[in-house]
Amino acid sequence: MVSLHHILGACTQCLSHYPAAGACIMIEIRRSNERGQANHGWLQSRHTFSFANYYDPEHMGVSALRVINDDKVIPGRGFGTHGHQDMEIISYVKRGTIAHKDSMGHVEHLPAGEFQLMTAGTGITHSEFNPSTEEPLEFLQIWILPDRRGLEPGYQQKRFDPRNGLQLIASPDARDGSLRLHQDALLLQLRLSAGEEATHVISADRCAYVHVVSGGISVNGTVLSAGDGATIRADDVLEFVGLASEDVINEALLFDLP
C-alpha cells in the first residue's frame, strides 16, 4: 500500500531537497505527456516537477515555483489529514468540489472556479476530500516557496469573476483584490476566446512559467495545449493568443517569478 507520505511528499523536505532551480531559458516547453505520473487507484496525478516518488533532476521547479500537480480524485475519496510547513499552497478546482478541513478551524467547500491559498508557515494539518458520490474532483495543486520561514499559518479562499484577458489572482501585496502570496511572485489567470490576444511584460531579471489549463494558447508563436507548460525568460512582452474554437475555454495560469 502506498502511504500518504509517499503520495504527498513533505513540505519540510521540499525546502532542503530541491536545489535552486536553474536559470530560465528563452522558451523551454514542458509537454503534457512528458510529465511525471502516479496512479493510486483513487488518485491519478500528473507532476510538472519532481514530487514524491517522481524524481527528475531536469525538472525540479522554476525559481520559487516548486510543484504543479494535476490531480483527479474519484468520488468519495481524498487526502486524509496530513501536515505541511513553510510553503505557500494554492489549489485551483477545475471540476467538482473540494471538502477542506484544517487545524486552523476552517471547514470549507471549494467549488470549481475557486482558488484557495494556504500559508503553511510554522505548520498546519489539513484534509482534502471529494464529497460527491458521482462526479470526479479535478484540481491543480501548486506549491510556491515563501520568502521566509516561520510565517504564521493562514487561509484564503476566493472566487474571481471569470473574464477574458489576464486577471491577477495572487500577489505579495494583495493588490486589486488578489490573494496575498508571501513571495515576490504573481499568479495570473489567462482566459482568451479564439483569436483573442493579451500581453504581459517580463523584465530581464525575472522569468515566467505558463501552464495551460484547457484549450490551446500560443505564447510568442509557440503553441501550447492543455497540460503543457513553458518556462520563459525575456526582457520583452509576452504575447498570448487563444487558439481553440469558441466552444472551448482557452485558459492558462501565468506565474511571474523572481
Side-chain angles (χ1 to χ4, degrees):
M1 179 179 294
V2 179
S3 70
L4 183 65
H5 173 80
H6 286 131
I7 295 173
L8 295 172
C11 281
T12 52
Q13 292 178 345
C14 287
L15 290 170
S16 58
H17 177 68
Y18 289 155
C24 301
I25 64 173
M26 188 61 70
I27 296 183
E28 180 183 354
I29 301 173
R30 177 70 155 151
R31 294 297 182 192
S32 176
N33 61 2
E34 297 171 347
R35 295 177 295 174
Q37 56 185 314
N39 187 342
H40 302 288
W42 63 273
L43 168 69
Q44 295 183 50
S45 186
R46 300 303 301 261
H47 307 311
T48 295
F49 307 118
S50 292
F51 184 85
N53 291 333
Y54 169 64
Y55 174 73
D56 182 346
E58 298 299 318
H59 296 96
M60 302 300 292
V62 176
S63 181
L65 177 61
R66 284 297 186 261
V67 169
I68 301 179
N69 287 347
D70 201 341
D71 290 342
K72 184 175 182 179
V73 180
I74 67 172
R77 296 293 298 273
F79 301 90
T81 301
H82 58 280
H84 297 281
Q85 186 175 347
D86 290 320
M87 194 65 66
E88 301 287 277
I89 301 172
I90 300 169
S91 297
Y92 175 51
V93 182
K94 302 193 301 181
R95 178 185 178 189
T97 298
I98 294 176
H100 167 95
K101 184 177 181 180
D102 63 43
S103 55
M104 294 177 284
H106 299 100
V107 179
E108 307 286 350
H109 277 74
L110 189 71
E114 291 199 6
F115 287 86
Q116 176 196 81
L117 197 164
M118 288 194 305
T119 296
T122 54
I124 61 168
T125 59
H126 76 134
S127 61
E128 297 164 300
F129 187 76
N130 180 3
S132 175
T133 59
E134 299 179 354
E135 185 178 22
L137 164 65
E138 298 179 17
F139 73 106
L140 294 175
Q141 180 184 167
I142 299 157
W143 293 5
I144 296 176
L145 289 168
D147 54 15
R148 60 191 182 279
R149 295 175 181 264
L151 292 165
E152 180 181 354
Y155 180 93
Q156 304 167 72
Q157 179 178 334
K158 186 171 182 178
R159 183 180 188 86
F160 294 82
D161 291 334
R163 66 169 184 255
N164 283 13
L166 283 164
Q167 180 168 203
L168 184 63
I169 302 299
S171 65
D173 55 2
R175 63 181 178 270
D176 301 328
S178 62
L179 305 173
R180 186 186 179 193
L181 179 65
H182 293 89
Q183 179 54 263
D184 180 21
L186 303 175
L187 168 59
L188 302 102
Q189 183 181 36
L190 174 66
R191 293 170 65 98
L192 296 173
S193 300
E196 188 176 14
E197 301 179 1
T199 61
H200 182 76
V201 176
I202 295 292
S203 61
D205 59 344
R206 296 179 68 84
C207 63
Y209 192 85
V210 178
H211 176 86
V212 179
V213 178
S214 61
I217 290 172
S218 75
V219 185
N220 289 30
T222 297
V223 174
L224 302 174
S225 301
D228 291 349
T231 304
I232 306 163
R233 185 181 183 90
D235 183 16
D236 202 350
V237 176
L238 302 184
E239 299 178 344
F240 301 98
V241 180
L243 299 179
S245 61
E246 293 294 342
D247 59 347
V248 176
I249 298 174
N250 298 298
E251 181 182 1
L253 297 181
L254 169 62
F255 301 86
D256 186 323
L257 302 161

